[in-house]
């Protein structure tokens, strides 16, 4: 399978979804990997396991971004 950074690289040329928020939810906690994902277009990055409230807040924020477009 692909990791989050690899998926973001695959999505990069797809102009139709450039504005779609992308959440990376990963077990990789290194700041280098997180920064790489954000540079590749991730809207946010959460570490697994996440607090349910934090995950819900992030998803609600991302849905508000979609609603605003």
């Amino acid at each position: 399978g692909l990791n989050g950074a690899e998926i973001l690289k695959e999505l990069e040329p797809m102009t139709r979804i450039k504005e779609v928020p992308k959440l990376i939810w990963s077990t990789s906690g290194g700041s280098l990997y997180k920064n790489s994902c954000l540079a590749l277009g991730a809207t946010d990055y959460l570490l697994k396991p996440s607090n349910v409230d934090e995950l819900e807040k992030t998803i609600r924020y991302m849905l508000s971004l979609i609603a605003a477009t």
Side-chain angles (χ1 to χ4, degrees), residues 1 3 7 9-10 13 22 24-25 28 40 43 45 48 50-51 53 55 57-58 60-61 69:
N3 67 33
I7 292 170
K9 287 177 187 173
E10 293 284 327
K22 297 159 200 76
I24 300 299
W25 193 29
S28 300
L40 287 168
T43 307
Y45 182 98
K48 289 180 187 178
S50 297
N51 175 301
D53 292 333
L55 180 59
K57 177 182 166 188
T58 301
R60 286 186 186 280
Y61 170 70
T69 57

PDB file of all heavy atoms in Angstrom, residues 1 3 7 9-10 13 22 24-25 28 40 43 45 48 50-51 53 55 57-58 60-61 69:
ATOM      1  N   GLY A   1       0.803  -1.182   0.000  1.00  0.00           N
ATOM      2  CA  GLY A   1       0.000   0.000   0.000  1.00  0.00           C
ATOM      3  C   GLY A   1       0.856   1.261   0.000  1.00  0.00           C
ATOM      4  O   GLY A   1       2.054   1.226   0.247  1.00  0.00           O
ATOM      5  N   ASN A   3       1.722   5.137   1.365  1.00  0.00           N
ATOM      6  CA  ASN A   3       1.601   5.975   2.558  1.00  0.00           C
ATOM      7  C   ASN A   3       0.984   7.320   2.147  1.00  0.00           C
ATOM      8  O   ASN A   3       0.746   7.575   0.963  1.00  0.00           O
ATOM      9  CB  ASN A   3       2.947   6.140   3.271  1.00  0.00           C
ATOM     10  CG  ASN A   3       3.967   6.926   2.466  1.00  0.00           C
ATOM     11  OD1 ASN A   3       3.626   7.834   1.710  1.00  0.00           O
ATOM     12  ND2 ASN A   3       5.228   6.585   2.627  1.00  0.00           N
ATOM     13  N   ILE A   7       0.375   9.009  -1.638  1.00  0.00           N
ATOM     14  CA  ILE A   7      -0.969   9.302  -2.151  1.00  0.00           C
ATOM     15  C   ILE A   7      -1.072  10.760  -2.578  1.00  0.00           C
ATOM     16  O   ILE A   7      -1.618  11.080  -3.640  1.00  0.00           O
ATOM     17  CB  ILE A   7      -2.043   8.945  -1.108  1.00  0.00           C
ATOM     18  CG1 ILE A   7      -2.099   7.423  -0.927  1.00  0.00           C
ATOM     19  CG2 ILE A   7      -3.417   9.497  -1.512  1.00  0.00           C
ATOM     20  CD1 ILE A   7      -2.936   6.962   0.240  1.00  0.00           C
ATOM     21  N   LYS A   9       1.307  12.641  -3.646  1.00  0.00           N
ATOM     22  CA  LYS A   9       2.059  12.780  -4.899  1.00  0.00           C
ATOM     23  C   LYS A   9       1.224  12.299  -6.084  1.00  0.00           C
ATOM     24  O   LYS A   9       1.274  12.886  -7.164  1.00  0.00           O
ATOM     25  CB  LYS A   9       3.366  12.001  -4.828  1.00  0.00           C
ATOM     26  CG  LYS A   9       4.403  12.652  -3.948  1.00  0.00           C
ATOM     27  CD  LYS A   9       5.657  11.797  -3.858  1.00  0.00           C
ATOM     28  CE  LYS A   9       6.617  12.366  -2.836  1.00  0.00           C
ATOM     29  NZ  LYS A   9       7.770  11.481  -2.605  1.00  0.00           N
ATOM     30  N   GLU A  10       0.467  11.217  -5.882  1.00  0.00           N
ATOM     31  CA  GLU A  10      -0.400  10.699  -6.943  1.00  0.00           C
ATOM     32  C   GLU A  10      -1.533  11.678  -7.256  1.00  0.00           C
ATOM     33  O   GLU A  10      -1.957  11.803  -8.398  1.00  0.00           O
ATOM     34  CB  GLU A  10      -1.001   9.353  -6.533  1.00  0.00           C
ATOM     35  CG  GLU A  10      -0.002   8.231  -6.416  1.00  0.00           C
ATOM     36  CD  GLU A  10       0.444   7.674  -7.753  1.00  0.00           C
ATOM     37  OE1 GLU A  10      -0.376   7.661  -8.690  1.00  0.00           O
ATOM     38  OE2 GLU A  10       1.616   7.268  -7.850  1.00  0.00           O
ATOM     39  N   PRO A  13      -1.182  15.879  -9.663  1.00  0.00           N
ATOM     40  CA  PRO A  13      -1.521  16.343 -11.021  1.00  0.00           C
ATOM     41  C   PRO A  13      -3.021  16.423 -11.303  1.00  0.00           C
ATOM     42  O   PRO A  13      -3.428  16.925 -12.344  1.00  0.00           O
ATOM     43  CB  PRO A  13      -0.860  15.297 -11.928  1.00  0.00           C
ATOM     44  CG  PRO A  13      -0.641  14.100 -11.091  1.00  0.00           C
ATOM     45  CD  PRO A  13      -0.556  14.570  -9.665  1.00  0.00           C
ATOM     46  N   LYS A  22      -7.418  17.660   2.311  1.00  0.00           N
ATOM     47  CA  LYS A  22      -6.831  16.328   2.460  1.00  0.00           C
ATOM     48  C   LYS A  22      -6.266  16.178   3.858  1.00  0.00           C
ATOM     49  O   LYS A  22      -5.426  16.961   4.281  1.00  0.00           O
ATOM     50  CB  LYS A  22      -5.745  16.117   1.418  1.00  0.00           C
ATOM     51  CG  LYS A  22      -6.265  16.165  -0.011  1.00  0.00           C
ATOM     52  CD  LYS A  22      -5.132  16.454  -0.964  1.00  0.00           C
ATOM     53  CE  LYS A  22      -5.620  16.991  -2.274  1.00  0.00           C
ATOM     54  NZ  LYS A  22      -6.036  18.371  -2.238  1.00  0.00           N
ATOM     55  N   ILE A  24      -4.176  13.779   6.431  1.00  0.00           N
ATOM     56  CA  ILE A  24      -3.292  12.628   6.624  1.00  0.00           C
ATOM     57  C   ILE A  24      -3.432  12.218   8.082  1.00  0.00           C
ATOM     58  O   ILE A  24      -3.206  13.016   8.987  1.00  0.00           O
ATOM     59  CB  ILE A  24      -1.817  12.981   6.297  1.00  0.00           C
ATOM     60  CG1 ILE A  24      -1.681  13.443   4.845  1.00  0.00           C
ATOM     61  CG2 ILE A  24      -0.918  11.792   6.599  1.00  0.00           C
ATOM     62  CD1 ILE A  24      -2.075  12.419   3.809  1.00  0.00           C
ATOM     63  N   TRP A  25      -3.826  10.976   8.268  1.00  0.00           N
ATOM     64  CA  TRP A  25      -4.024  10.404   9.600  1.00  0.00           C
ATOM     65  C   TRP A  25      -3.053   9.245   9.691  1.00  0.00           C
ATOM     66  O   TRP A  25      -3.271   8.194   9.115  1.00  0.00           O
ATOM     67  CB  TRP A  25      -5.472   9.972   9.740  1.00  0.00           C
ATOM     68  CG  TRP A  25      -5.917   9.655  11.121  1.00  0.00           C
ATOM     69  CD1 TRP A  25      -5.451  10.176  12.289  1.00  0.00           C
ATOM     70  CD2 TRP A  25      -6.948   8.753  11.486  1.00  0.00           C
ATOM     71  NE1 TRP A  25      -6.134   9.659  13.353  1.00  0.00           N
ATOM     72  CE2 TRP A  25      -7.069   8.769  12.882  1.00  0.00           C
ATOM     73  CE3 TRP A  25      -7.797   7.926  10.772  1.00  0.00           C
ATOM     74  CZ2 TRP A  25      -7.985   8.008  13.573  1.00  0.00           C
ATOM     75  CZ3 TRP A  25      -8.717   7.169  11.459  1.00  0.00           C
ATOM     76  CH2 TRP A  25      -8.803   7.212  12.849  1.00  0.00           C
ATOM     77  N   SER A  28       3.023   7.705  11.622  1.00  0.00           N
ATOM     78  CA  SER A  28       4.368   8.284  11.506  1.00  0.00           C
ATOM     79  C   SER A  28       4.385   9.652  12.169  1.00  0.00           C
ATOM     80  O   SER A  28       3.750  10.580  11.687  1.00  0.00           O
ATOM     81  CB  SER A  28       4.774   8.417  10.040  1.00  0.00           C
ATOM     82  OG  SER A  28       4.777   7.163   9.418  1.00  0.00           O
ATOM     83  N   LEU A  40       3.195  18.742   0.387  1.00  0.00           N
ATOM     84  CA  LEU A  40       2.615  18.065  -0.772  1.00  0.00           C
ATOM     85  C   LEU A  40       1.121  18.338  -0.931  1.00  0.00           C
ATOM     86  O   LEU A  40       0.493  17.834  -1.852  1.00  0.00           O
ATOM     87  CB  LEU A  40       2.855  16.554  -0.664  1.00  0.00           C
ATOM     88  CG  LEU A  40       4.282  16.101  -0.912  1.00  0.00           C
ATOM     89  CD1 LEU A  40       4.465  14.651  -0.492  1.00  0.00           C
ATOM     90  CD2 LEU A  40       4.648  16.290  -2.384  1.00  0.00           C
ATOM     91  N   THR A  43      -4.034  19.247   3.968  1.00  0.00           N
ATOM     92  CA  THR A  43      -4.623  20.369   4.684  1.00  0.00           C
ATOM     93  C   THR A  43      -4.295  20.283   6.165  1.00  0.00           C
ATOM     94  O   THR A  43      -4.068  21.298   6.812  1.00  0.00           O
ATOM     95  CB  THR A  43      -6.155  20.372   4.494  1.00  0.00           C
ATOM     96  OG1 THR A  43      -6.432  20.322   3.092  1.00  0.00           O
ATOM     97  CG2 THR A  43      -6.793  21.598   5.105  1.00  0.00           C
ATOM     98  N   TYR A  45      -2.738  17.255   9.401  1.00  0.00           N
ATOM     99  CA  TYR A  45      -2.025  16.012   9.707  1.00  0.00           C
ATOM    100  C   TYR A  45      -2.321  15.657  11.156  1.00  0.00           C
ATOM    101  O   TYR A  45      -2.095  16.463  12.048  1.00  0.00           O
ATOM    102  CB  TYR A  45      -0.526  16.239   9.516  1.00  0.00           C
ATOM    103  CG  TYR A  45       0.328  15.027   9.754  1.00  0.00           C
ATOM    104  CD1 TYR A  45       0.764  14.249   8.704  1.00  0.00           C
ATOM    105  CD2 TYR A  45       0.718  14.670  11.043  1.00  0.00           C
ATOM    106  CE1 TYR A  45       1.555  13.136   8.916  1.00  0.00           C
ATOM    107  CE2 TYR A  45       1.510  13.558  11.267  1.00  0.00           C
ATOM    108  CZ  TYR A  45       1.924  12.800  10.193  1.00  0.00           C
ATOM    109  OH  TYR A  45       2.697  11.696  10.402  1.00  0.00           O
ATOM    110  N   LYS A  48      -2.047   9.051  14.683  1.00  0.00           N
ATOM    111  CA  LYS A  48      -2.847   7.963  15.260  1.00  0.00           C
ATOM    112  C   LYS A  48      -2.172   7.474  16.525  1.00  0.00           C
ATOM    113  O   LYS A  48      -0.951   7.435  16.572  1.00  0.00           O
ATOM    114  CB  LYS A  48      -2.945   6.787  14.284  1.00  0.00           C
ATOM    115  CG  LYS A  48      -3.790   7.022  13.077  1.00  0.00           C
ATOM    116  CD  LYS A  48      -3.764   5.753  12.235  1.00  0.00           C
ATOM    117  CE  LYS A  48      -4.449   5.931  10.919  1.00  0.00           C
ATOM    118  NZ  LYS A  48      -4.368   4.716  10.100  1.00  0.00           N
ATOM    119  N   SER A  50      -5.675   9.188  17.542  1.00  0.00           N
ATOM    120  CA  SER A  50      -6.059  10.568  17.821  1.00  0.00           C
ATOM    121  C   SER A  50      -7.173  10.605  18.848  1.00  0.00           C
ATOM    122  O   SER A  50      -7.974   9.685  18.941  1.00  0.00           O
ATOM    123  CB  SER A  50      -6.553  11.263  16.554  1.00  0.00           C
ATOM    124  OG  SER A  50      -5.532  11.347  15.606  1.00  0.00           O
ATOM    125  N   ASN A  51      -7.208  11.694  19.542  1.00  0.00           N
ATOM    126  CA  ASN A  51      -8.329  11.980  20.423  1.00  0.00           C
ATOM    127  C   ASN A  51      -9.559  12.149  19.535  1.00  0.00           C
ATOM    128  O   ASN A  51      -9.507  12.851  18.525  1.00  0.00           O
ATOM    129  CB  ASN A  51      -7.999  13.256  21.202  1.00  0.00           C
ATOM    130  CG  ASN A  51      -9.113  13.745  22.055  1.00  0.00           C
ATOM    131  OD1 ASN A  51     -10.199  14.029  21.565  1.00  0.00           O
ATOM    132  ND2 ASN A  51      -8.850  13.867  23.336  1.00  0.00           N
ATOM    133  N   ASP A  53     -12.228  13.853  19.914  1.00  0.00           N
ATOM    134  CA  ASP A  53     -12.633  15.260  19.798  1.00  0.00           C
ATOM    135  C   ASP A  53     -11.760  15.995  18.786  1.00  0.00           C
ATOM    136  O   ASP A  53     -12.259  16.804  18.006  1.00  0.00           O
ATOM    137  CB  ASP A  53     -12.560  15.957  21.159  1.00  0.00           C
ATOM    138  CG  ASP A  53     -13.598  15.438  22.137  1.00  0.00           C
ATOM    139  OD1 ASP A  53     -14.660  14.955  21.693  1.00  0.00           O
ATOM    140  OD2 ASP A  53     -13.337  15.510  23.356  1.00  0.00           O
ATOM    141  N   LEU A  55     -10.128  14.659  16.241  1.00  0.00           N
ATOM    142  CA  LEU A  55     -10.464  14.150  14.919  1.00  0.00           C
ATOM    143  C   LEU A  55     -11.767  14.772  14.421  1.00  0.00           C
ATOM    144  O   LEU A  55     -11.853  15.231  13.279  1.00  0.00           O
ATOM    145  CB  LEU A  55     -10.567  12.625  14.950  1.00  0.00           C
ATOM    146  CG  LEU A  55     -10.905  11.934  13.636  1.00  0.00           C
ATOM    147  CD1 LEU A  55      -9.873  12.245  12.567  1.00  0.00           C
ATOM    148  CD2 LEU A  55     -11.015  10.430  13.861  1.00  0.00           C
ATOM    149  N   LYS A  57     -13.141  17.618  15.355  1.00  0.00           N
ATOM    150  CA  LYS A  57     -12.903  19.051  15.107  1.00  0.00           C
ATOM    151  C   LYS A  57     -12.228  19.255  13.752  1.00  0.00           C
ATOM    152  O   LYS A  57     -12.605  20.144  12.987  1.00  0.00           O
ATOM    153  CB  LYS A  57     -12.039  19.621  16.230  1.00  0.00           C
ATOM    154  CG  LYS A  57     -11.667  21.062  16.059  1.00  0.00           C
ATOM    155  CD  LYS A  57     -10.776  21.517  17.202  1.00  0.00           C
ATOM    156  CE  LYS A  57     -10.118  22.829  16.880  1.00  0.00           C
ATOM    157  NZ  LYS A  57      -9.115  23.209  17.866  1.00  0.00           N
ATOM    158  N   THR A  58     -11.248  18.424  13.444  1.00  0.00           N
ATOM    159  CA  THR A  58     -10.534  18.537  12.177  1.00  0.00           C
ATOM    160  C   THR A  58     -11.451  18.236  11.001  1.00  0.00           C
ATOM    161  O   THR A  58     -11.443  18.955   9.995  1.00  0.00           O
ATOM    162  CB  THR A  58      -9.318  17.588  12.167  1.00  0.00           C
ATOM    163  OG1 THR A  58      -8.465  17.934  13.260  1.00  0.00           O
ATOM    164  CG2 THR A  58      -8.543  17.684  10.872  1.00  0.00           C
ATOM    165  N   ARG A  60     -14.740  18.479  10.924  1.00  0.00           N
ATOM    166  CA  ARG A  60     -15.719  19.577  10.805  1.00  0.00           C
ATOM    167  C   ARG A  60     -15.092  20.794  10.118  1.00  0.00           C
ATOM    168  O   ARG A  60     -15.724  21.444   9.281  1.00  0.00           O
ATOM    169  CB  ARG A  60     -16.269  19.966  12.168  1.00  0.00           C
ATOM    170  CG  ARG A  60     -17.237  18.951  12.718  1.00  0.00           C
ATOM    171  CD  ARG A  60     -17.878  19.453  14.023  1.00  0.00           C
ATOM    172  NE  ARG A  60     -18.693  18.424  14.617  1.00  0.00           N
ATOM    173  CZ  ARG A  60     -19.931  18.130  14.226  1.00  0.00           C
ATOM    174  NH1 ARG A  60     -20.486  18.806  13.242  1.00  0.00           N
ATOM    175  NH2 ARG A  60     -20.606  17.174  14.826  1.00  0.00           N
ATOM    176  N   TYR A  61     -13.844  21.097  10.472  1.00  0.00           N
ATOM    177  CA  TYR A  61     -13.139  22.214   9.833  1.00  0.00           C
ATOM    178  C   TYR A  61     -12.998  21.960   8.333  1.00  0.00           C
ATOM    179  O   TYR A  61     -13.255  22.851   7.517  1.00  0.00           O
ATOM    180  CB  TYR A  61     -11.769  22.427  10.479  1.00  0.00           C
ATOM    181  CG  TYR A  61     -10.909  23.395   9.721  1.00  0.00           C
ATOM    182  CD1 TYR A  61     -11.215  24.753   9.692  1.00  0.00           C
ATOM    183  CD2 TYR A  61      -9.803  22.955   9.012  1.00  0.00           C
ATOM    184  CE1 TYR A  61     -10.441  25.650   8.974  1.00  0.00           C
ATOM    185  CE2 TYR A  61      -9.016  23.842   8.298  1.00  0.00           C
ATOM    186  CZ  TYR A  61      -9.341  25.180   8.275  1.00  0.00           C
ATOM    187  OH  TYR A  61      -8.577  26.058   7.565  1.00  0.00           O
ATOM    188  N   THR A  69     -16.695  26.801  -0.494  1.00  0.00           N
ATOM    189  CA  THR A  69     -16.319  26.947  -1.905  1.00  0.00           C
ATOM    190  C   THR A  69     -17.514  26.873  -2.812  1.00  0.00           C
ATOM    191  O   THR A  69     -18.582  26.522  -2.488  1.00  0.00           O
ATOM    192  CB  THR A  69     -15.314  25.863  -2.346  1.00  0.00           C
ATOM    193  OG1 THR A  69     -15.863  24.569  -2.110  1.00  0.00           O
ATOM    194  CG2 THR A  69     -14.004  26.018  -1.611  1.00  0.00           C
TER     195      THR A  69
END
